[in-house]
């Protein structure tokens, strides 16, 4: 009997009291964050020069590896036969 009484009390606490407490705590946290400047929204991208429709702009081009790093006569990797297993 004692087990059921504790179980029912815990159930009602988790079902009805906990959501109210969490709502109060989280609303206080959100208010505090908004007073301190918000949640750190990233700045918007600055408007650059306008481009014609269809024009391509590349921000970064990776460096090209020199040809001296490749062995002479290298035409690719070794071929490995693939067999599908069902």
């Amino acid at each position: 009997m004692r087990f059921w009484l504790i179980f029912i009390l815990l159930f009602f606490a988790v079902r009805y009291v906990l959501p109210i407490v969490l709502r109060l705590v989280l609303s206080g946290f959100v208010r505090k964050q908004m007073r301190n400047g918000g949640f750190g929204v990233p700045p918007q991208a600055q408007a650059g020069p306008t481009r014609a429709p269809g024009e391509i702009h590349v921000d970064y081009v990776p460096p090209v590896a020199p040809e001296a790093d490749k062995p002479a006569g290298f035409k690719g990797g070794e071929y490995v036969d693939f067999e599908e297993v069902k």
Side-chain angles (χ1 to χ4, degrees), residues 17-49:
V17 177
L18 190 62
I20 295 170
V21 171
L22 285 176
R23 193 173 302 127
L24 291 173
V25 169
L26 288 177
S27 67
F29 174 73
V30 169
R31 282 191 201 112
K32 180 181 173 186
Q33 287 296 319
M34 294 307 286
R35 268 194 311 266
N36 292 336
F39 289 99
V41 178
Q44 296 294 327
Q46 296 177 355

Side-chain angles (χ1 to χ4, degrees), residues 1-11:
M1 185 69 180
R2 185 175 170 194
F3 167 77
W4 289 109
L5 180 64
I6 294 172
F7 179 76
I8 291 171
L9 287 174
L10 284 175
F11 174 77

Side-chain angles (χ1 to χ4, degrees), residues 46-65:
Q46 296 177 355
T50 57
R51 295 185 190 93
E55 184 179 338
I56 298 174
H57 175 72
V58 179
D59 288 332
Y60 174 74
V61 178
V64 179

